[in-house]
Amino acid sequence: MKKYIYIILCIYACWLCTTTQAQTAADVWCEMPKSMQPTIDSIARLDMIDLYRAGMKATAPTLLGDTAQLITMNDTYLLLRTSKASTMQIKCIKHKKKTIYAIVTTVEGPAPNSHIVLYNEAWKTIPLKKYLKLPKVEDFVSATDTSTYDKQDIRKSIIIPTIQYIINDSTNDITALPSFMQTLDKESRERITSYIRPNIKLQWNGKKWK
């Protein structure tokens, strides 16, 4: 009887270890709900991971006739090109005893424009404001009082308010880039460039981005 109890306890211990093992970014990519990435099926995702680990070009066809590519991968980060005009970043962030999945999708026309969504391990969305306050276009404008322009004048020049977000592949920090500058005509761009911050850094302090 004791022998059977011991076997059961061993099986339970092994199960507990596998269920509590930290998810890698590759795991998150392969287990991502189909509704979030409907054009790249589960087999293609696995193939991309295997090709990357083999040191080969990690590409796979999408269901729309495009080509996806895994560009960068480590335990906590993935960068993928999901189509000719879009990318996805996946970042696993340890928070207390749980893991947050930060998913950054970027569409690249007419300029890169990113969207950040946070998920828990059950793929339930987490309110962004709980951990992150995203910068607005106005936050990139450094001019406050000049002889020629003020913030309001500069803001009026920016018609398409695109912002690109990049998560560092070795830290949890996020860099926001003023991609809206790419939407301006040459004259407008040259006129306001000196008043625009080149980037905004959002640093993870273990609890949130500041």
Side-chain angles (χ1 to χ4, degrees), residues 58-82:
T59 60
T62 72
L63 299 179
L64 294 178
D66 210 330
T67 300
Q69 181 177 2
L70 173 54
I71 300 170
T72 302
M73 181 176 74
N74 60 39
D75 284 346
T76 64
Y77 177 84
L78 256 74
L79 170 61
L80 304 121
R81 176 157 293 284
T82 50

Side-chain angles (χ1 to χ4, degrees), residues 45 55 70-71 115 118 121 152 164 167:
R45 297 183 204 179
L70 173 54
I71 300 170
H115 183 59
L118 303 180
E121 293 165 304
Q152 188 174 5
Q164 182 179 10
I167 301 183

Side-chain angles (χ1 to χ4, degrees), residues 76-186:
T76 64
Y77 177 84
L78 256 74
L79 170 61
L80 304 121
R81 176 157 293 284
T82 50
S83 74
K84 292 178 181 178
S86 61
T87 63
M88 174 181 286
Q89 299 170 77
I90 299 172
K91 183 67 179 178
C92 300
I93 299 168
K94 296 300 294 182
H95 179 58
K96 298 181 179 179
K97 295 182 179 180
K98 298 181 179 180
T99 302
I100 295 172
Y101 305 152
I103 310 295
V104 183
T105 53
T106 302
V107 177
E108 298 174 338
N113 190 44
S114 300
H115 183 59
I116 302 178
V117 182
L118 303 180
Y119 297 90
N120 62 21
E121 293 165 304
W123 288 104
K124 301 295 184 181
T125 55
I126 301 172
L128 202 62
K129 62 182 180 180
K130 185 176 180 180
Y131 295 100
L132 172 64
K133 182 180 180 181
L134 292 177
K136 299 178 181 179
V137 169
E138 291 82 357
D139 297 323
F140 287 93
V141 182
S142 59
T144 55
D145 184 19
T146 69
S147 58
T148 308
Y149 306 113
D150 60 22
K151 275 194 173 185
Q152 188 174 5
D153 290 332
I154 294 172
R155 180 63 183 89
K156 288 178 181 178
S157 301
I158 302 166
I159 307 301
I160 306 176
T162 59
I163 298 175
Q164 182 179 10
Y165 297 104
I166 298 174
I167 301 183
N168 188 285
D169 64 351
S170 59
T171 72
N172 297 330
D173 298 341
I174 297 173
T175 300
L177 302 173
S179 60
F180 54 80
M181 293 294 287
Q182 300 177 33
T183 69
L184 302 177
D185 60 76
K186 183 179 179 181

Side-chain angles (χ1 to χ4, degrees), residues 131-133 173-174 201-205 208-210:
Y131 295 100
L132 172 64
K133 182 180 180 181
D173 298 341
I174 297 173
K201 299 285 187 179
L202 303 171
Q203 294 184 317
W204 176 259
N205 64 8
K208 60 176 65 176
W209 284 276
K210 299 285 285 185

Side-chain angles (χ1 to χ4, degrees), residues 19-35:
T19 54
T20 57
Q21 186 176 9
Q23 289 279 83
T24 66
D27 295 329
V28 175
W29 167 240
C30 292
E31 296 170 9
M32 179 180 289
K34 187 176 181 180
S35 59

